[in-house]
């Protein structure tokens, strides 16, 4: 990673970690995944790996989030040493696919720290727009409101309106997140499926 900072390196790490016979020590791997987002200048490779591998895989999503942020959430405070807040700012924006009950304690802890509230604000829409994401609308709206940020901060107010209407995910109700009227329904299939039954995946900034 130090030499290449390339996604293919994280693929090799992931395969080696899963090797039942001669796998990498898990704690050493997670130390690296925690350390990269803590660096003053962080690359895109580890966040990309977390998003498309660790967080989108239902089998690893909860454990990966706990390792990179969740288990340290109780240490988030106004006077926390700089590396941890840097990690807490960078992980939420790629953690949209993580199950909402796993995310929520860390989000609440981060929301109690003024400097981390913009990161929570960025992370909440990612949970709405990720194909595999899905928030609890009422709890997410309460958290969004408690942040006390201006409604036009960095994102339009559409997430607030959609959550207030009870929508958990953009792909299941795309017009709830815009000012456009909802079209007449032409299919009976819920979920992120478009014309021809193809799965729609959001554009990923980090890939």
């Amino acid at each position: 990673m130090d030499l290449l900072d390339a996604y293919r390196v994280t693929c090799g790490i992931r395969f080696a970690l899963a090797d039942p016979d001669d796998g990498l020590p898990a704690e050493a791997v997670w130390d690296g995944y925690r350390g990269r987002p803590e660096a003053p200048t962080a690359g895109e490779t580890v966040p990309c790996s977390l998003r498309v591998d660790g967080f989108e895989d239902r089998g690893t999503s909860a454990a990966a989030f706990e390792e990179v942020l969740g288990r340290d959430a109780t240490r988030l405070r106004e006077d926390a040493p700089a590396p941890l807040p840097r990690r807490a700012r960078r992980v939420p924006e790629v953690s949209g696919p993580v199950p909402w009950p796993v995310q929520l304690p860390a989000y609440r802890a981060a929301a109690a720290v003024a400097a981390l509230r913009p990161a929570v604000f960025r992370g909440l829409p990612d949970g709405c727009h990720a194909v595999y994401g899905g928030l609890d609308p009422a709890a997410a709206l309460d958290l969004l409101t408690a942040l006390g940020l201006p409604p036009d901060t960095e994102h339009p107010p559409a997430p607030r309106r959609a959550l207030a209407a009870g929508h958990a995910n953009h792909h299941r109700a795309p017009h709830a997140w815009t000012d456009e009227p909802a079209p007449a329904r032409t299919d009976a299939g819920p979920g992120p499926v478009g014309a021809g039954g193809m799965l729609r995946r959001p554009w990923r900034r980090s890939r």
Side-chain angles (χ1 to χ4, degrees):
M1 287 295 296
D2 288 337
L3 291 172
L4 300 177
D5 193 31
Y7 175 71
R8 65 180 179 274
V9 178
T10 67
C11 292
I13 291 172
R14 178 164 50 92
F15 295 146
L17 181 63
D19 186 337
D21 299 319
D22 191 23
L24 293 173
E27 189 56 32
V29 173
W30 291 120
D31 276 346
Y33 271 75
R34 286 187 289 266
R36 294 280 165 167
E38 290 182 348
T41 302
E44 293 292 322
T45 302
V46 164
C48 175
S49 174
L50 286 171
R51 175 62 179 253
V52 304
D53 296 324
F55 291 163
E56 284 196 351
D57 185 335
R58 296 292 87 182
T60 62
S61 186
F65 186 82
E66 283 298 306
E67 288 288 350
V68 297
L69 184 59
R71 74 179 191 179
D72 292 324
T74 57
R75 297 171 49 216
L76 293 174
R77 57 185 188 274
E78 296 289 350
D79 60 347
L84 178 58
R86 279 197 289 262
R87 179 171 18 126
R89 283 194 294 270
R90 288 164 175 160
V91 171
E93 64 184 15
V94 296
S95 63
V98 176
W100 174 246
V102 177
Q103 292 180 334
L104 185 55
Y107 276 14
R108 283 176 171 162
V113 180
L116 297 179
R117 288 171 190 159
V120 177
F121 185 76
R122 291 191 298 272
L124 288 172
D126 189 54
C128 298
H129 296 300
V131 170
Y132 299 106
L135 310 180
D136 176 88
L141 183 60
D142 287 346
L143 183 58
L144 185 62
T145 301
L147 295 178
L149 299 174
D152 59 350
T153 303
E154 191 171 338
H155 291 282
R160 191 183 302 271
R161 294 197 306 268
L163 292 171
H167 298 289
N169 186 279
H170 166 219
H171 297 277
R172 293 189 283 276
H175 286 268
W177 306 84
T178 72
D179 293 323
E180 302 173 19
R185 185 159 183 170
T186 59
D187 72 293
V193 178
M198 297 298 292
L199 185 68
R200 294 198 303 269
R201 289 184 176 272
W203 171 68
R204 297 190 183 100
R205 179 181 56 193
S206 58
R207 291 196 76 177

